[in-house]
Amino acid sequence: MLVKTGLLVTSNPNRLGIILPQIKHEIESILYIQVLNALREPFGNFYPNMFSSWPKLSHIIKGIYTQAAKHCQNLDVRVLLSGLKYKNKLIYTEREVELVIFDEKYASDEVQKFLSTKLVNISKDYKILTCANIAAEPISADLEQKNDKVYQHTVLGGTFDRLHLAHKLLLSEAALRSNSKITVGVTEENMIKSKILWELIEPLETRMSTVENFLKDICPELNISVVSIEDPFGPTQHDPTIDLLVVSKETIRGGEKVNEVRKSKGLPLLDLVAVDLIDEPAQNPHEEKKISSNTQRMRLLGTLLKPVKQNLNLPKRPYVIGLTGGIATGKSNIAKRLQELGAYVIDCDKIAHGV
């Protein structure tokens, strides 16, 4: 039986390419991932000689989300950062953990001690799964990273429609680089109408709530502010406390424009950190190479977005549907499907040809 929420405790993220395909069918909704050397070691002690600052962990976080994109896009994967950034003694999760997965075999008393003393929100009927004896390459890191600074107040912005793995990578980068506050600007309706299938974009309130929930889940120690923005600059054009702007590699020009505006207003310039995009592992024709909300919305076409509700107020006379469209847009297929469901079809093309 599927559980709604699982927690994977991994001592080597390079094993995930093998582990994720094994466990994805065990979990229905959320998979938390906690990186930890060993159960007996304290949090915040993940290869300290290699990852001497929080931003150096970015390479590991991207690797995890990239593997998640390849093997379990159906799951809401969340890499927990508190245990990496701070020497917390406990693992906090918003959702109750029902399945705990280990990538190494530990002694039963060690496992029980870990579960009883480290996990705050664990189901009383929890299950344990061990994926042991899995080969993996040594841990690697982007030690050539030019900027591993940590900032007081980081900011980023976007539409954040149907929060996906690339969004999570951006938000995680902002969380790793902040020791105090994150501000996230979420675009209002006036800024989304140029996007592909913008009509399918989630309501503003939903997008803001999803971003806030994710950040509070992965790093609740931070002061998190999620605000709506009606222009590309948002709070960066007036807030002097912001010192870092996180962007994607494709939006770095927008970050430079932000600094132009701040300079014109006498505000200190922001450092810019550009995050690499995650490739879409199952790209179809006409879809973007990167993981994107545009692709997600395109894939929604032809699916049921809301449950069908019975309308008891329909008139008793025949319900007339007008079906129109250009050449090769699927009218015949839709008409055939409606006919299979019991509708009577009048083909006006055939009637016109017979006149």
Side-chain angles (χ1 to χ4, degrees):
M1 181 178 176
L2 287 176
V3 301
K4 289 186 177 179
T5 305
L7 169 67
L8 170 59
V9 181
T10 178
S11 58
N12 191 332
N14 290 339
R15 295 180 175 133
L16 295 186
I18 301 173
I19 294 175
L20 292 178
Q22 295 182 24
I23 67 174
K24 66 179 180 180
H25 300 299
E26 305 285 339
I27 303 164
E28 181 180 338
S29 181
I30 294 179
L31 174 63
Y32 292 110
I33 296 180
Q34 176 67 65
V35 179
L36 182 63
N37 273 355
L39 300 193
R40 68 185 72 86
E41 293 192 14
F43 293 129
N45 196 36
F46 185 70
Y47 289 82
N49 59 322
M50 183 181 295
F51 302 104
S52 54
S53 68
W54 301 336
K56 287 189 181 296
L57 290 159
S58 299
H59 178 74
I60 293 292
I61 305 302
K62 183 185 179 184
I64 293 175
Y65 282 127
T66 299
Q67 290 298 322
K70 292 178 181 177
H71 301 295
C72 52
Q73 279 209 42
N74 60 309
L75 293 180
D76 180 356
V77 176
R78 303 182 175 200
V79 182
L80 300 174
L81 300 183
S82 293
L84 292 171
K85 289 184 62 174
Y86 313 106
K87 294 187 178 180
N88 293 352
K89 297 180 180 180
L90 301 172
I91 295 176
Y92 296 92
T93 58
E94 289 286 325
R95 307 292 180 89
E96 185 179 67
V97 173
E98 302 167 79
L99 173 66
V100 183
I101 306 139
F102 298 102
D103 68 348
E104 288 189 18
K105 187 171 179 58
Y106 297 101
S108 58
D109 59 336
E110 196 173 12
V111 169
Q112 291 305 318
K113 182 178 180 180
F114 176 82
L115 298 178
S116 61
T117 62
K118 300 294 187 184
L119 299 191
V120 173
N121 194 6
I122 185 169
S123 168
K124 63 180 181 180
D125 301 316
Y126 68 84
K127 296 188 292 185
I128 296 175
L129 177 63
T130 300
C131 302
N133 301 319
I134 295 174
E137 297 176 0
I139 293 287
S140 61
D142 183 11
L143 300 180
E144 299 302 318
Q145 197 170 39
K146 295 180 180 179
N147 178 3
D148 65 350
K149 288 174 59 179
V150 175
Y151 300 82
Q152 285 289 319
H153 187 178
T154 65
V155 67
L156 69 162
T159 304
F160 298 103
D161 180 39
R162 292 175 175 82
L163 198 72
H164 53 64
L165 294 167
H167 291 145
K168 293 174 183 179
L169 182 61
L170 281 168
L171 293 167
S172 297
E173 182 71 27
L176 281 173
R177 289 187 175 272
S178 175
N179 59 15
S180 181
K181 183 177 181 179
I182 295 178
T183 296
V184 184
V186 181
T187 53
E188 295 185 8
E189 185 173 324
N190 68 298
M191 292 186 65
I192 64 177
K193 292 187 177 180
S194 62
K195 294 186 176 291
I196 295 173
L197 296 172
W198 71 270
E199 300 90 344
L200 299 182
I201 292 177
E202 294 175 313
L204 175 63
E205 295 75 15
T206 300
R207 291 180 280 128
M208 292 178 66
S209 174
T210 303
V211 167
E212 184 174 14
N213 170 272
F214 175 77
L215 284 171
K216 286 183 176 179
D217 216 0
I218 65 168
C219 199
E221 295 83 0
L222 292 171
N223 177 4
I224 296 160
S225 175
V226 181
V227 299
S228 61
I229 56 174
E230 58 183 16
D231 59 59
F233 307 106
T236 63
Q237 59 192 317
H238 55 71
D239 189 339
T241 70
I242 299 171
D243 44 15
L244 173 69
L245 173 61
V246 175
V247 297
S248 68
K249 286 286 180 72
E250 66 176 10
T251 59
I252 193 166
R253 177 65 189 106
E256 294 168 349
K257 184 65 178 175
V258 164
N259 270 337
E260 291 173 15
V261 172
R262 286 178 69 89
K263 183 177 181 180
S264 70
K265 296 188 175 186
L267 294 170
L269 301 185
L270 305 179
D271 281 0
L272 303 179
V273 168
V275 178
D276 281 325
L277 304 172
I278 300 179
D279 288 341
E280 170 57 59
Q283 183 187 9
N284 295 313
H286 311 300
E287 292 182 347
E288 297 183 52
K289 184 183 178 190
K290 62 172 185 174
I291 289 179
S292 73
S293 297
N294 287 339
T295 294
Q296 288 191 341
R297 289 193 297 276
M298 290 170 66
R299 292 177 179 177
L300 288 174
L301 295 176
T303 66
L304 188 64
L305 297 181
K306 296 180 181 178
V308 176
K309 295 182 179 179
Q310 186 177 7
N311 188 348
L312 301 177
N313 298 318
L314 287 176
K316 293 182 178 180
R317 66 180 183 273
Y319 195 72
V320 180
I321 299 174
L323 184 59
T324 185
I327 297 173
T329 56
K331 300 188 299 297
S332 298
N333 288 334
I334 296 297
K336 181 180 178 181
R337 179 60 178 150
L338 291 173
Q339 193 169 33
E340 290 171 352
L341 294 172
Y344 183 79
V345 175
I346 300 173
D347 191 330
C348 295
D349 281 346
K350 289 182 179 179
I351 294 175
H353 291 321
V355 173

